[in-house]
Amino acid sequence: MDTTTDPMWDAIIVGGGAAGLTAGVVLARARFTTLVVDGGEPRNGPAGHMHGYLTRDGMAPKEFVATGQDEFVRYGGTLVRASVTGARRGQDGTFELRLDDDRVLRARSVLVATGLSDELPDIPGLSERWASEVHHCPHCHGHEVRGRAVAVIGGARAAVSAHLAALMRRHSSSVTFCVNDAEVGAAERRRLTAYGVRVIDGRVIRVAGNDGTAYDDPVVIELDGGRTVACEAVFVAPRPVPHDAILTALGAAEDPVSGLVAVDPHGATDVPGLWAAGNVVNPRAQVVSAAGAGSAAAIAMSAWLLERELSAAVQAGGLDAGGAL
């Protein structure tokens, strides 16, 4: 990358969702120069509301982000609408990030909070109903469909699919688990059946019916052989695809078990100065837990940056008469 005369930021945060904006507010309040780069496509953007966040229950995700942006800017943070297309770490340990408009930003530390994409099973009609009739998180949307007929479509994540079917049974007496491609053993089938879940085999070929305008219109799940299942809400366990290209480009190590970029309890990777928080390293994180991870990472970054300033002050002979480094 080409170097620029742009300022050296104390911290650049890539991703302006719950984790990124929370971290940005923490760092800006600590008076570190902080910039958030965000492409404007949050994971929960299609959803009409979010839950599980105390005092923010039912808030629209877009409103949540807009409010967070206002708070971040109010504390002196800088927000840039762009995407990062390249990243590298210099020999001096600082970072350079290239944006899609060819600007190059430099920082002493970086937090990646870019989230993930939900890869749905390749079933016609499923993606069109995503976040309206089709959901993936029972803790986010299960309560809202309580008492309604629910269908769970199995996928490659068999254990998660079966768990999802069981958990939705707590919200409804009418839960059908369309096994689809999930490899669910006999013992798990018996457990689900005993718990009141209807388990049916066959490949799901299409989701039709309700266009998202009313709960009263049923969604119809069509299976091979001509069978159909009518319901009012569909749940599915998508495959999470972390947006971790920046982390891997900067050399962050992966966890050999999960395949995700490895971080410590404070979000630090094995690359000095590089942190990650939220869904990019924890696909199960809800909005509230992603925000908490962002806060924990920012506090750790603040300590890391401060330590380097203390060392620099000693090397420079201390503070000048005005109190500046």
Side-chain angles (χ1 to χ4, degrees), residues 106-152:
R106 299 185 300 149
R108 298 163 62 198
S109 65
V110 170
L111 169 66
V112 176
T114 43
L116 60 78
S117 295
D118 293 295
E119 187 176 273
L120 297 172
D122 187 17
I123 299 173
L126 199 64
S127 62
E128 293 86 342
R129 293 168 174 80
W130 182 241
S132 54
E133 292 78 49
V134 177
H135 311 283
H136 81 285
C137 178
H139 302 290
C140 301
H141 302 287
H143 185 80
E144 280 58 52
V145 299
R146 63 195 183 280
R148 301 181 183 275
V150 175
V152 176

Side-chain angles (χ1 to χ4, degrees), residues 85-308:
T85 59
R88 78 172 185 180
R89 185 167 179 260
Q91 292 184 350
D92 62 353
T94 61
F95 298 89
E96 290 185 359
L97 303 178
R98 182 176 292 279
L99 306 185
D100 52 4
D101 60 6
D102 285 336
R103 279 182 293 173
V104 176
L105 304 176
R106 299 185 300 149
R108 298 163 62 198
S109 65
V110 170
L111 169 66
V112 176
T114 43
L116 60 78
S117 295
D118 293 295
E119 187 176 273
L120 297 172
D122 187 17
I123 299 173
L126 199 64
S127 62
E128 293 86 342
R129 293 168 174 80
W130 182 241
S132 54
E133 292 78 49
V134 177
H135 311 283
H136 81 285
C137 178
H139 302 290
C140 301
H141 302 287
H143 185 80
E144 280 58 52
V145 299
R146 63 195 183 280
R148 301 181 183 275
V150 175
V152 176
I153 298 176
R157 303 172 71 206
V160 178
S161 298
H163 176 74
L164 182 55
L167 194 50
M168 287 311 302
R169 178 64 180 82
R170 297 193 57 79
H171 294 288
S172 172
S173 60
S174 176
V175 177
T176 301
F177 181 26
C178 301
V179 176
N180 194 32
D181 294 327
E183 297 181 3
V184 182
E188 188 62 30
R189 289 169 181 259
R190 284 194 298 270
R191 282 168 25 108
L192 290 171
T193 300
Y195 199 55
V197 176
R198 177 191 177 202
V199 180
I200 61 174
D201 289 300
R203 184 173 60 87
V204 175
I205 61 173
R206 191 164 77 99
V207 176
N210 195 326
D211 60 2
T213 59
Y215 270 125
D216 294 336
D217 296 330
V219 176
V220 178
I221 298 175
E222 300 178 6
L223 297 95
D224 56 3
R227 292 173 298 170
T228 61
V229 174
C231 61
E232 295 168 278
V234 179
F235 281 77
V236 64
R239 186 176 76 88
V241 182
H243 299 160
D244 57 7
I246 297 171
L247 293 167
T248 56
L250 292 172
E254 292 184 354
D255 182 301
V257 177
S258 69
L260 301 168
V261 169
V263 294
D264 72 7
H266 307 290
T269 71
D270 65 335
V271 176
L274 179 63
W275 277 261
N279 285 152
V280 69
V281 289
N282 181 7
R284 298 183 65 181
Q286 293 183 287
V287 177
V288 65
S289 47
S295 178
I299 291 171
M301 293 170 73
S302 175
W304 186 88
L305 289 163
L306 179 60
E307 282 297 317
R308 276 140 191 82

